């Protein structure tokens, strides 16, 4: 049992370590000391109050998208639409926040969340119904809908909801009453607490409830799940809608706490939903793993914001490291599928024995 | 001359010794049975002979030469072929494509091979092979549409096509119908006459006696005894296997007469399979209190579909099912369990257990709604573990790690886990499907006793099994299924096996019309 967990941790840490090693080599080739650069990154993102709070702020949506992905993936439902659901939820919450005036800030924010969740949920309903009632592959549908949604929002933000006063394509900013403000001298907002709370609730659902049990059973043996009384159709709906709602919260929070208006790069590159997928994989679909991965990944992001300021190395080095991580993570994926690691071990054991 | 010889062959998994200094000799042309309870180490031994596992120490000699198999490919090259207990086929490919997988026949372009596959030739060769051995297969059928029995036939065929000299069969009869078993035995004998050496792993003693020339009994990883089949008998072998005297057949004679209240009533049940064929036609029967109703029949005559309909994973198109007069037709599995029906499913690892989940999770599967397990949707892990612990104690389930997954259980222990779960939920009716399939002798007796005790307490059991002896010794009444119908009912105490055999073949015997 312990061995198993050890292997899991190694499987998550190894790609990261390899990515950093190669990143270090590249930094050295650029003429800087990799230890110094990494030192700056760690100091600026994890050792200083501003850095830590910034990291937490960036981690907030990622925690949610990460757990939203796991919620479905663990049950073998491949919901690739987190990204689309997130931007749609965020967009609509932003529109609501700027066009509707409500003097009470708490109420305004709550209603923005309600709108964001409702919209993301409605958008997730399409693939959920198609999968549950018409056996349409949810992976294809959710994947494609992301791009459809991106185009729809591009249209809406360039025409209907365009902020005429701005020099570039964006929607009007949300009103002050709908904004999350930075807390004290920190770089984080109350959204961090919202996100952590939602994350804890979903983690609890995944590990300690009947629904969590169903997720595991569905993922590991769907026939067994059905035969022991799980109504898989209902569960598919529940899980896809739940993960849609969580992405809605992530999108709304990102809008109210960070962006305040919709731009075409609202979700960044590659996008909070896709980052969430990386985090879910890094964290191996366990809540604790996702938490560590989200914090780590956000620390990288914070570090990348600072690295150009304090060293001679361009910011892009962080993208390189992220890319390498994805690459090594996919190798590990192959390992799981085809057992390369096991084979190597077996070979070694044969030689010894 | 010994075709196979192992010298002090040992395999350890961590601290666990699966095989301890096994010395096995197999002569040319002989049919050798390896007997032992589940978990005795038979499969480990065979996997080493087949190259799927590498020994920790000891030697394997094939035709007198020491060999080191790195993988099954090496073993096949050496003329050793294995037919696995669980079939390893590609469901989306056809029968002939599965046989030719990896050794496809290329189309000839003049003297050279072209990169295209000569499917016509492949089909022809496979069909020829099927006819030669009288297999019930069609070269062009998709494997996904085959029955379990047919898949097994295909596995054997695959090895025969590869011209292996030594054939290893792992529990070959566990999925076969009685007729198929007889056919298999004939064919194995035939193959051995043609010069093949055959190793059969089994714990069905009747088949050991029928097929083998010699037997080796393994218990707890050690060779307990070796005998010529003609010099031994079932009782002696059973004793060696379990280390104690086993009552091979428990009987229900001392439990009192069946009651007269109708508990479970199935009337006019019909259903279609995914191809739209009528697989159940007007199935009707009643089960009273204190009664075991057995359904016998050659596999593939609608029993699987009947099980699926009665356990809520397939819909009936017509007819009704009643429990104590209440209509429970087409209810979901969870609703059936709430009505106090215990379900022992046909396919243990598909519908009964989840190998990759913990024992505790599996012990509560289907009964998550119990107040001690779930309150307001939140699981009580402590109680789940406690329940698991209680079951393990009470039902003598032997496992290495109480907190581990079901995958560590041998077949018999896995089945006992299901038995524990279903019997402990205070059911009023148990639907037991193939309850002892792939289960060792010791557990078979235990499971039979559980079913009988349950009956003797006044409850009802629906027993569906392809093991005729099981049906005959346990049931109060037997219904025989043939082509989706129950074509006859018989009292096992008065009816002869021959009569039931006739019913199974679709003929209604004189006295029963």
């Amino acid at each position: 049992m312990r061995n198993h967990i050890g292997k899991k941790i190694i499987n998550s840490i190894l790609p990261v370590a390899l990515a950093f090693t190669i990143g270090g080599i590249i930094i050295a080739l650029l003429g800087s000391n990799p230890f110094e650069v990494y030192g700056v990154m760690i100091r600026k993102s994890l050792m200083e109050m501003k850095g830590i709070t910034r990291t937490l702020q960036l981690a907030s949506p990622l925690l949610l998208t990460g757990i939203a992905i796991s919620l479905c993936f663990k049950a073998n439902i491949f919901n690739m639409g987190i990204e689309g659901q997130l931007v749609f939820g965020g967009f609509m919450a932003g529109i609501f926040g700027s066009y509707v005036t409500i003097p009470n800030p708490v109420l305004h924010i709550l209603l923005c969340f309600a709108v964001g969740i409702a919209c993301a949920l409605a958008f997730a309903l399409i693939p959920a119904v198609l999968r549950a009632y018409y056996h349409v592959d949810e992976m294809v549908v959710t994947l494609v809908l992301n791009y459809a949604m991106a185009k729809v929002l591009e249209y809406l933000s360039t025409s209907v909801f365009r902020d005429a006063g701005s020099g570039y394509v964006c929607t009007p900013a949300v009103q002050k009453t709908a904004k999350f403000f930075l807390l004290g001298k920190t770089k984080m907002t109350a959204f961090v607490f919202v996100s952590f709370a939602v994350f804890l609730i979903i983690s609890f659902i995944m590990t300690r409830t009947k629904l969590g049990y169903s997720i595991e059973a569905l993922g590991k043996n769907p026939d067994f799940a059905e035969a022991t009384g799980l109504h898989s159709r209902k569960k598919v709906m529940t899980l896809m809608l739940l993960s849609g709602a969580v992405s809605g919260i992530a999108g709304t929070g990102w809008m109210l706490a960070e962006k305040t208006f919709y731009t075409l790069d609202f979700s960044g590159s590659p996008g909070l939903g896709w980052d969430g997928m990386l985090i879910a994989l890094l964290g191996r679909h366990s809540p604790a793993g996702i938490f560590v991965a989200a914090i780590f990944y956000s620390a990288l992001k914070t570090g990348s914001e600072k690295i150009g300021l304090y060293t001679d190395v361009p910011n892009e080095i962080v993208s390189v490291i992220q890319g390498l991580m994805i690459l090594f993570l996919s190798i590990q994926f192959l390992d799981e599928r085809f057992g390369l690691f096991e084979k190597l071990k077996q070979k070694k054991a044969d030689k010894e024995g | 001359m010994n075709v196979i010889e192992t010298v002090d062959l040992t395999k350890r998994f961590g601290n666990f010794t699966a095989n301890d200094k096994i010395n096995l000799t197999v002569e040319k042309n002989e049919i050798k049975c390896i007997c032992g309870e589940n978990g005795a180490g038979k499969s480990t031994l065979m996997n080493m002979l087949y190259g799927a596992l590498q020994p920790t120490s000891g030697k394997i000699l094939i035709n007198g030469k020491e060999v080191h198999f790195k993988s099954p490919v090496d073993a096949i090259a050496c003329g050793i072929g294995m037919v696995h207990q669980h079939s390893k086929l590609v469901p989306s490919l056809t029968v002939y494509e599965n046989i030719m997988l990896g050794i496809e026949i290329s189309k000839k372009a003049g003297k050279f091979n072209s990169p295209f596959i000569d499917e016509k030739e492949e089909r022809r060769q496979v069909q020829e092979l099927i006819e030669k051995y009288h297999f019930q297969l069609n070269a062009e059928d998709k494997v996904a549409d085959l029955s379990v029995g047919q898949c097994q036939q295909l596995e054997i065929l695959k090895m025969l096509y590869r011209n292996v000299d030594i054939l290893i069969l792992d529990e070959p009869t566990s999925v076969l119908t009685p007729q198929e078993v007889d056919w298999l035995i004939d064919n194995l004998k035939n193959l051995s006459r043609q010069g093949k050496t055959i190793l059969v792993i089994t714990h069905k003693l009747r088949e050991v006696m029928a097929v083998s020339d010699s037997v080796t009994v393994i218990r707890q990883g050690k060779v307990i005894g070796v005998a010529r089949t003609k010099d031994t008998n079932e009782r002696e072998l059973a004793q060696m296997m379990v280390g104690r005297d086993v009552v091979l057949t428990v009987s229900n004679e001392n439990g009192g007469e069946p009651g007269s209240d109708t508990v479970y009533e199935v009337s006019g049940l019909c259903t279609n399979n995914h191809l739209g064929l009528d697989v159940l036609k007007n199935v009707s029967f009643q089960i009273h209190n204190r009664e075991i109703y057995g359904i016998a029949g050659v596999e593939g005559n609608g029993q699987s579909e009947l099980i699926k309909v009665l356990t809520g994973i397939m819909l009936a198109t017509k007819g009704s099912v009643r429990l104590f007069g209440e209509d429970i037709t087409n209810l979901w599995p969870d609703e059936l369990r709430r009505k106090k029906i215990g379900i022992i499913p046909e396919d243990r690892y598909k519908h009964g257990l989840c190998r990759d989940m913990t024992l505790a999770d599996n012990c509560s599967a289907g009964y998550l709604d119990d107040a001690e397990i779930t309150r307001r949707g939140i699981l009580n892990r402590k109680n789940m573990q406690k329940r698991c612990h209680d079951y393990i104690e009470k039902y003598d389930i032997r496992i290495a790690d109480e907190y581990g997954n079901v995958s560590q259980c041998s077949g018999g222990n896995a089945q006992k886990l299901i038995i524990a779960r279903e019997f402990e939920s205070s059911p009023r009716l148990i639907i037991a499907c193939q309850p002892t399939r792939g289960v060792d002798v010791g557990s078979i007796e235990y499971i039979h006793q559980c079913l009988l005790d349950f009956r003797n307490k006044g409850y009802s059991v629906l027993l569906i099994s392809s093991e005729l002896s099981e049906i005959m010794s346990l049931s109060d009444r037997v219904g025989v299924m043939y082509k989706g119908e129950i074509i006859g009912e018989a009292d096992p105490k008065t009816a002869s096996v021959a009569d039931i055999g006739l019913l199974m073949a679709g003929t209604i015997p004189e006295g029963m019309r």
Side-chain angles (χ1 to χ4, degrees):
Chain A
M1 197 69 185
R2 185 180 296 162
N3 210 345
H4 204 60
I5 292 169
K7 201 182 155 194
K8 271 188 176 177
I9 292 175
I10 287 175
N11 265 337
S12 285
I13 288 180
L14 207 64
V16 176
L18 280 171
F20 271 87
T21 313
I22 296 182
I25 294 171
I26 296 171
I27 293 172
L29 290 175
L30 289 172
S32 294
N33 180 351
F35 296 104
E36 208 174 287
V37 174
Y38 287 152
V40 167
M41 272 174 63
I42 293 170
R43 226 174 20 254
K44 292 293 168 196
S45 61
L46 291 172
M47 310 288 272
E48 286 171 5
M49 193 57 190
K50 280 192 173 165
I52 296 175
T53 48
R54 179 70 187 149
T55 299
L56 289 177
Q57 170 84 349
L58 290 177
S60 307
L62 299 183
L63 272 178
L64 297 182
T65 50
I67 201 108
I69 296 262
S70 297
L71 205 56
C72 285
F73 273 41
K74 251 192 133 170
N76 267 349
I77 306 165
F78 293 98
N79 181 3
M80 313 286 275
I82 301 294
E83 175 70 18
Q85 290 148 22
L86 176 141
V87 291
F88 187 50
F91 180 87
M92 294 311 284
I95 296 299
F96 184 84
S98 57
Y99 284 81
V100 181
T101 309
I102 293 165
N104 183 340
V106 176
L107 191 64
H108 203 179
I109 287 180
L110 279 178
L111 283 174
C112 281
F113 269 107
V115 169
I117 293 171
C119 292
L121 213 103
F123 190 44
L125 192 64
I126 303 171
V129 168
L130 285 177
R131 152 82 197 244
Y133 293 95
Y134 300 98
H135 299 284
V136 181
D137 187 344
E138 78 283 2
M139 199 196 275
V140 177
V141 177
T142 49
L143 201 58
V144 170
L145 279 180
N146 286 332
Y147 300 101
M149 182 50 73
K151 286 291 160 201
V152 168
L153 294 185
E154 190 179 327
Y155 166 75
L156 289 177
S157 56
T158 47
S159 57
V160 188
F161 295 114
R162 175 154 187 183
D163 182 3
S166 168
Y168 56 97
V169 173
C170 67
T171 60
V174 296
Q175 295 175 16
K176 270 192 177 165
T177 46
K179 258 187 216 169
F180 280 114
F181 289 97
L182 293 179
L183 300 169
K185 285 188 177 167
T186 66
K187 290 263 186 180
M188 69 181 206
T189 63
F191 174 50
V192 171
F193 302 118
V194 174
S195 157
F196 274 48
V198 174
F199 177 78
L200 284 179
I201 292 170
I202 303 290
S203 310
F204 184 80
I205 289 177
M206 279 173 73
T207 50
R208 300 297 301 275
T209 66
K210 204 181 145 191
L211 183 61
Y213 182 99
S214 320
I215 293 173
E216 201 180 344
L218 259 182
K220 287 179 172 166
N221 186 347
D223 287 318
F224 161 79
E226 284 238 332
T228 51
L230 218 130
H231 301 216
S232 66
R233 192 179 271 180
K234 277 191 203 160
K235 285 292 179 300
V236 168
M237 291 287 288
T238 311
L239 291 176
M240 286 192 78
L241 293 183
L242 189 59
S243 83
V246 173
S247 0
I249 296 174
T252 308
W254 190 240
M255 172 59 85
L256 305 185
E258 182 76 19
K259 288 289 176 179
T260 70
F261 50 82
Y262 186 84
T263 57
L264 294 182
D265 65 343
F266 172 74
S267 171
S269 166
L272 298 170
W274 304 118
D275 285 344
M277 197 165 295
L278 177 69
I279 284 161
L281 289 179
L282 261 180
R284 325 214 100 226
H285 299 312
S286 89
I290 289 169
F291 182 81
V292 173
I295 297 292
F296 163 77
Y297 196 78
S298 319
L300 265 185
K301 277 191 166 180
T302 318
S304 84
E305 286 172 356
K306 294 286 187 287
I307 216 165
L309 289 175
Y310 293 91
T311 69
D312 297 334
V313 181
N315 290 350
E316 281 73 17
I317 188 69
V318 174
S319 305
V320 172
I321 293 173
Q322 285 173 352
L324 287 168
M325 256 163 48
I326 296 173
L327 179 68
F328 289 124
L329 208 60
S330 57
I331 293 177
Q332 169 209 319
F333 222 59
L334 288 179
D335 174 45
E336 257 172 36
R337 289 266 168 84
F338 306 112
L340 295 175
F341 201 64
E342 284 295 304
K343 276 185 193 155
L344 278 177
K345 230 165 124 187
Q346 188 69 48
K347 257 192 183 160
K348 214 175 141 198
D350 288 350
K351 268 182 198 162
E352 281 166 1
Chain B
M1 160 103 181
N2 292 329
V3 174
I4 303 176
E5 192 175 348
T6 68
V7 184
D8 289 343
L9 200 64
T10 302
K11 177 72 188 177
R12 288 194 196 89
F13 297 103
N15 295 327
F16 176 67
T17 307
N19 277 180
D20 191 7
K21 296 192 176 159
I22 300 268
N23 290 303
L24 172 78
T25 54
V26 185
E27 286 165 30
K28 194 160 173 56
N29 295 0
E30 110 176 305
I31 300 182
K32 172 78 144 188
C33 276
I34 313 277
C35 290
E37 287 200 284
N38 277 316
K42 296 168 300 194
S43 293
T44 308
L45 177 61
M46 290 309 119
N47 277 325
M48 284 195 284
L49 290 179
Y50 185 57
L53 287 172
Q54 278 73 36
T56 313
S57 63
K59 281 192 285 191
I60 302 173
L61 297 107
I62 304 291
N63 295 320
K65 261 184 274 173
E66 192 176 346
V67 290
H68 295 282
F69 295 142
K70 291 263 184 286
S71 74
V73 180
D74 297 346
I76 291 181
C78 210
I80 301 179
M82 175 131 172
V83 178
H84 290 274
Q85 194 171 2
H86 302 284
S87 72
K88 301 187 172 182
L89 299 166
V90 187
S92 56
L93 294 182
T94 61
V95 166
Y96 77 87
E97 282 169 325
N98 265 286
I99 289 181
M100 295 295 179
L101 204 62
I103 46 167
E104 292 84 358
I105 301 171
S106 304
K107 271 188 186 151
K108 295 275 188 288
K111 273 188 174 177
F112 303 100
N113 287 339
S114 76
F116 302 103
I117 296 172
D118 191 347
E119 303 208 3
K120 220 170 128 193
E121 175 65 13
E122 287 193 347
R123 261 199 300 272
R124 192 189 63 75
Q125 289 198 10
V126 169
Q127 197 60 49
E128 219 167 66
L129 204 64
I130 289 172
E131 276 152 27
K132 182 173 161 197
Y133 292 105
H134 307 291
F135 281 63
Q136 292 145 317
L137 286 170
N138 185 350
E140 288 175 57
D141 281 350
K142 263 198 180 176
V143 168
D145 300 331
L146 299 185
S147 71
V148 194
Q150 284 175 309
C151 285
Q152 181 104 48
Q153 296 183 4
L154 177 52
E155 288 271 9
I156 296 171
L157 200 66
K158 204 169 151 181
M159 285 305 139
L160 293 177
Y161 184 81
R162 280 162 175 73
N163 273 326
V164 296
D165 294 321
I166 304 167
L167 202 57
I168 304 176
L169 296 104
D170 189 359
E171 306 282 0
T173 59
S174 62
V175 287
L176 299 184
T177 63
Q179 276 82 348
E180 285 172 325
V181 172
D182 292 341
W183 160 86
L184 179 77
I185 290 173
D186 284 349
N187 265 277
L188 290 180
K189 285 187 167 164
N190 193 16
L191 285 168
S192 97
R193 272 196 295 276
Q194 286 173 26
K196 310 254 187 224
T197 307
I198 296 162
L199 265 156
V200 182
I201 307 176
T202 186
H203 45 237
K204 289 194 184 160
L205 300 174
R206 188 175 64 85
E207 286 150 20
V208 173
M209 298 311 289
V211 74
S212 67
D213 299 313
S214 72
V215 201
T216 295
V217 181
I218 295 179
R219 189 169 83 225
Q220 290 170 346
K222 292 186 182 123
V223 173
I224 295 300
V226 183
R228 308 295 309 170
T229 309
K230 58 178 192 295
D231 303 333
T232 184
N233 57 48
E234 287 185 40
R235 187 159 289 272
E236 192 179 295
L237 289 176
Q239 269 177 29
M240 278 200 260
M241 272 166 71
V242 292
R244 66 195 158 95
D245 206 347
V246 178
V247 189
L248 267 178
T249 47
V250 265
S251 89
N252 70 352
E253 273 168 16
N254 306 324
E257 284 298 303
S260 54
D261 305 340
T262 303
V263 172
Y264 194 62
E265 185 177 10
V266 174
S267 46
L269 210 60
C270 300
T271 197
N272 307 326
N273 67 3
H274 62 284
L275 298 171
L277 298 171
D278 296 338
V279 277
L280 285 186
K281 296 171 211 154
N282 262 321
V283 173
S284 304
F285 59 88
Q286 293 170 351
I287 310 178
H288 304 107
N289 59 331
R290 196 195 289 274
E291 183 177 48
I292 297 182
Y293 186 83
I295 289 185
V298 178
E299 206 162 325
N301 276 295
Q303 296 97 315
S304 295
E305 287 80 6
L306 180 64
I307 291 166
K308 282 186 182 159
V309 171
L310 295 182
T311 56
I313 41 183
M314 191 170 174
L315 289 179
T317 49
K318 246 169 56 193
S320 71
V321 185
R322 287 174 188 279
L323 181 69
F324 291 107
E326 184 187 0
D327 190 359
I328 56 162
T329 321
N330 289 342
L331 288 190
W332 285 79
D334 59 331
E335 292 166 330
L336 291 175
R337 283 196 166 93
R338 250 174 262 142
K339 303 272 179 220
K340 297 287 173 203
I341 296 180
I343 300 167
I344 299 166
E346 184 180 24
D347 192 330
R348 197 173 309 145
Y349 292 116
K350 197 171 174 192
H351 296 128
L353 297 168
C354 179
R355 278 177 202 256
D356 301 323
M357 286 171 78
T358 60
L359 293 168
D361 281 350
N362 275 284
C363 283
S364 300
Y367 300 100
L368 284 176
D369 289 328
D370 291 4
E372 62 171 301
I373 300 295
T374 311
R375 224 168 248 178
R376 292 195 199 90
I378 296 166
L379 299 174
N380 187 334
R381 293 269 177 202
K382 224 170 102 191
N383 282 351
M384 284 171 78
Q385 195 61 47
K386 189 178 156 289
R387 178 180 277 197
C388 169
H389 181 79
D390 293 347
Y391 288 179
I392 290 170
E393 297 263 297
K394 188 168 172 194
Y395 287 81
D396 187 28
I397 299 165
R398 286 172 218 170
I399 34 101
D401 177 11
E402 200 178 300
Y403 298 91
N405 287 347
V406 165
S407 52
Q408 64 177 316
C409 292
S410 66
N413 284 313
Q415 187 71 338
K416 276 191 192 169
L417 194 73
I418 297 180
I419 297 276
R421 184 178 74 201
E422 302 300 334
F423 276 100
E424 289 298 308
S425 63
S426 54
R428 300 187 286 185
L429 167 82
I430 288 271
I431 301 179
C433 313
Q434 316 288 3
T436 57
R437 172 176 281 179
V439 166
D440 56 279
V441 176
S443 303
I444 287 176
E445 186 197 352
Y446 188 87
I447 291 167
H448 284 171
Q449 200 56 57
C450 280
L451 289 170
L452 280 179
D453 289 347
F454 183 71
R455 169 208 183 266
N456 293 345
K457 274 187 224 153
Y459 297 111
S460 325
V461 177
L462 173 61
L463 174 68
I464 300 170
S465 172
S466 50
E467 200 73 55
L468 192 55
S469 60
E470 179 169 273
I471 295 270
M472 294 294 277
S473 58
L474 292 180
S475 313
D476 295 296
R477 272 186 307 144
V478 181
V480 180
M481 276 193 91
Y482 180 72
K483 291 196 171 165
E485 289 175 85
I486 292 193
I487 64 159
E489 271 185 14
D491 181 345
K493 288 181 195 73
T494 53
S496 67
V497 177
D499 282 349
I500 295 202
L502 276 175
L503 282 172
M504 285 166 78
T507 331
I508 300 172
E510 280 301 321
M512 289 175 66
R513 272 176 222 271

